[in-house]
């Protein structure tokens, strides 16, 4: 494997494939795969078999490096990171993996579409605020196409590589910075504008010459919330959601847990305290001291040296009022008729959001 390919796979999988093969080479001769129960590698990784004789799963690891076994021989790895599954397998053994099911379902590409055009648009919302929006058009754009929309507060450029797979499959890809974030105009007030901004963006897409008026959305966490917020607008152009570990409402799941202030949200407010996302601000060694500060609205002032308007606004509302009702898409659930694929896990810290999304 050449160096660029190894670097790209490492970024995608959060695991270095070259290092992975180097680690496992000595294990080939251990005889571990002759067992029918769990085993531990020489470096402490724990594995156990599944009902699929070819798949052994790793426990207590993130991401888990699962094994593909054939006749007591390791022939590949299966690694899932959020919504991305990567298969590394020796040629000739593809049929032992999920690749076979994908092929049978017509999900594997025989020929990928190429990018025909990419451009940035400042899409105007109903109040005149313009949101930075990246559009990727595949080479079959001469025919009106369906669109996959991603809306994010973390910087749209972070999603270009992973979501480009939709362009390769012949969809238009649209990735947008939410209001007040990255290159978009406006003030950052988490969740407050997402219903209307989502609707306005979807209806802008539907009116483009390359659009067939069929738009789907995909995303996780905050990128899940914006989907349900947009769907609650009742826009007829939104046709599908892929909602992964979705954040719930600010009063029930994120800023408050059914009225109780959620300390875990503070780290997120630190990381989104500037227009650009700064994940390094999640890491501090003074959390215990900060958690003792009262009133709560002063925690970020003490920690950053300045106020964060969005956080201060949330701290003014400690009961369910019109402010929270505006962001509570569940109150408009009767407007949602969009089919959705909902993905989560038993230990998802946004489990409440997923529960809210279930019918």
């Amino acid at each position: 494997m050449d160096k660029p390919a190894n670097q790209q796979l490492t970024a995608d999988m959060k695991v270095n494939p070259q290092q992975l093969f180097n680690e496992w080479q000595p294990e080939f001769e251990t005889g571990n795969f002759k067992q029918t129960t769990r085993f531990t590698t020489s470096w402490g990784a724990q594995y156990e078999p599944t009902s699929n004789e070819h798949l052994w799963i790793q426990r207590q690891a993130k991401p888990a490096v699962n094994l593909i076994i054939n006749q007591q021989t390791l022939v590949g790895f299966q690694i899932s990171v959020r919504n991305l599954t990567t298969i590394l397998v020796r040629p000739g053994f593809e049929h032992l993996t999920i690749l076979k099911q994908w092929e049978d379902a017509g999900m594997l590409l025989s020929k990928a579409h190429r990018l025909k055009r990419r451009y940035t648009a400042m899409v105007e919302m109903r109040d005149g605020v313009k949101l930075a929006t990246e559009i990727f058009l595949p080479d079959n754009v001469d025919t009106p196409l369906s669109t996959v929309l991603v809306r994010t507060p973390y910087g749209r450029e972070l999603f270009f590589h992973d979501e480009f797979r939709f362009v390769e499959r012949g969809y238009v890809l649209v990735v947008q910075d939410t209001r007040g974030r990255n290159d978009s105009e406006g003030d950052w007030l988490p969740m407050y504008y997402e219903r209307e901004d989502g609707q306005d963006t979807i209806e802008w897409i539907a009116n483009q010459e390359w659009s067939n008026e069929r738009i789907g959305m995909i995303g996780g966490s905050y990128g899940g919330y914006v989907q349900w917020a947009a769907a609650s607008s009742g826009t007829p152009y939104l046709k599908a959601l892929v909602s992964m570990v979705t954040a719930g409402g600010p009063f029930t799941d994120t800023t408050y847990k059914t009225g109780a202030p959620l300390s875990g949200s503070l780290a997120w407010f630190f990381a989104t305290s500037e227009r650009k996302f700064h994940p390094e601000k999640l890491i501090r060694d003074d959390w215990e001291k900060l958690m003792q500060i009262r009133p709560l609205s002063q925690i970020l002032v003490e920690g950053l040296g300045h106020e964060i308007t969005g956080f201060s606004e949330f701290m003014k509302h400690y009961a369910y009022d019109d402010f929270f009702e505006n962001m509570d898409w569940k109150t408009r659930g009767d407007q949602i008729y969009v089919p959705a694929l909902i993905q989560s896990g038993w230990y998802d810290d946004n489990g409440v959001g997923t529960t809210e999304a279930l019918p």
Side-chain angles (χ1 to χ4, degrees):
M1 182 182 300
D2 60 33
K3 186 175 181 180
N6 190 66
Q7 290 176 336
Q8 187 58 65
L9 283 170
T10 301
D12 292 342
M13 302 188 306
K14 314 306 179 190
V15 173
N16 186 315
Q18 191 63 60
Q19 180 180 339
L20 189 63
F21 280 105
N22 292 342
E23 286 179 343
W24 273 97
Q25 192 63 38
E27 294 288 317
F28 289 165
E29 306 301 327
T30 62
N32 276 332
F33 308 127
K34 295 178 182 178
Q35 303 181 33
T36 57
T37 57
R38 68 180 60 191
F39 71 90
T40 302
T41 67
S42 58
W43 59 88
Q46 298 179 15
Y47 284 88
E48 62 184 61
T50 67
S51 57
N52 179 349
E53 62 177 320
H54 301 294
L55 181 65
W56 288 59
I57 56 175
Q58 185 181 13
R59 292 296 191 186
Q60 301 179 2
K62 182 181 180 181
V65 179
N66 300 322
L67 310 179
I68 302 164
I69 308 298
N70 183 61
Q71 296 182 350
Q72 302 173 359
T73 300
L74 178 64
V75 296
F77 303 96
Q78 178 174 303
I79 305 166
S80 294
V81 178
R82 207 170 198 173
N83 63 324
L84 176 69
T85 296
T86 302
I87 306 294
L88 300 174
V89 64
R90 292 182 182 179
F93 293 96
E94 294 87 351
H95 64 285
L96 302 182
T97 73
I98 193 72
L99 291 173
K100 179 64 167 61
Q101 297 178 41
W102 292 347
E103 182 179 33
D104 292 344
M107 296 171 61
L108 290 184
L109 284 180
S110 57
K111 183 180 179 181
H113 287 278
R114 295 180 179 273
L115 178 67
K116 182 173 184 178
R117 182 187 175 201
R118 168 186 167 184
Y119 66 99
T120 304
M122 295 300 293
V123 178
E124 187 170 349
M125 303 292 102
R126 65 190 67 182
D127 62 354
V129 170
K130 296 178 181 178
L131 305 187
T133 308
E134 206 77 12
I135 295 94
F136 298 80
L137 302 176
D139 55 16
N140 59 330
V141 75
D142 295 335
T143 300
L145 301 174
S146 298
T147 300
V148 176
L149 170 64
V150 178
R151 304 189 67 245
T152 178
Y154 303 119
R156 68 190 189 284
E157 62 276 5
L158 296 178
F159 295 82
F160 293 169
H161 171 73
D162 287 350
E163 308 304 351
F164 190 77
R165 65 189 188 276
F166 293 113
V167 177
E168 295 176 324
R169 286 161 173 78
Y171 294 92
V172 176
L173 172 64
V174 176
V175 188
Q176 183 181 73
D177 294 325
T178 55
R179 180 182 293 241
R181 304 296 302 156
N182 206 36
D183 296 323
S184 285
E185 298 176 353
D187 297 322
W188 170 231
L189 182 55
M191 299 184 169
Y192 191 79
Y193 297 100
E194 305 304 2
R195 182 179 71 257
E196 293 182 350
D197 286 355
Q199 179 183 10
D200 291 350
T201 300
I202 288 168
E203 296 184 357
W204 178 86
I205 292 171
N207 285 304
Q208 302 307 299
E209 61 181 4
W210 39 257
S211 173
N212 65 6
E213 301 184 351
R214 298 178 62 83
I215 295 105
M217 296 183 71
I218 189 170
S221 193
Y222 195 95
Y225 171 84
V226 295
Q227 297 180 59
W228 295 101
S232 71
S233 73
T235 175
Y237 303 112
L238 183 58
K239 304 298 185 181
L241 310 179
V242 179
S243 169
M244 300 173 293
V245 294
T246 185
F251 194 75
T252 56
D253 184 39
T254 52
T255 307
Y256 293 89
K257 286 285 188 184
T258 316
L262 181 61
S263 60
S265 69
L266 289 171
W268 184 79
F269 274 102
F270 272 92
T272 58
S273 59
E274 300 177 23
R275 186 169 288 272
K276 300 285 185 178
F277 180 54
H278 289 283
E280 68 277 6
K281 291 188 176 183
L282 293 163
I283 303 172
R284 302 182 65 101
D285 58 9
D286 60 348
W287 284 116
E288 185 174 350
K289 175 184 175 182
L290 290 174
M291 294 305 297
Q292 297 175 15
I293 295 172
R294 296 296 183 275
L296 298 177
S297 59
Q298 293 302 299
I299 291 178
L300 273 72
V301 176
E302 180 73 21
L304 294 171
H306 60 84
E307 183 181 27
I308 298 177
T309 303
F311 181 77
S312 298
E313 184 63 35
F314 274 100
M315 291 300 99
K316 295 176 184 176
H317 303 268
Y318 47 85
Y320 189 90
D321 56 11
D322 290 343
F323 176 76
F324 284 114
E325 194 275 337
N326 177 69
M327 296 175 278
D328 186 0
W329 62 262
K330 286 287 282 189
T331 64
R332 299 166 182 83
D334 59 350
Q335 300 291 316
I336 301 176
Y337 297 95
V338 185
L341 173 63
I342 299 173
Q343 176 187 331
S344 185
W346 289 117
Y347 302 106
D348 174 17
D349 60 353
N350 280 326
V352 172
T354 296
T355 301
E356 289 180 351
L358 295 174

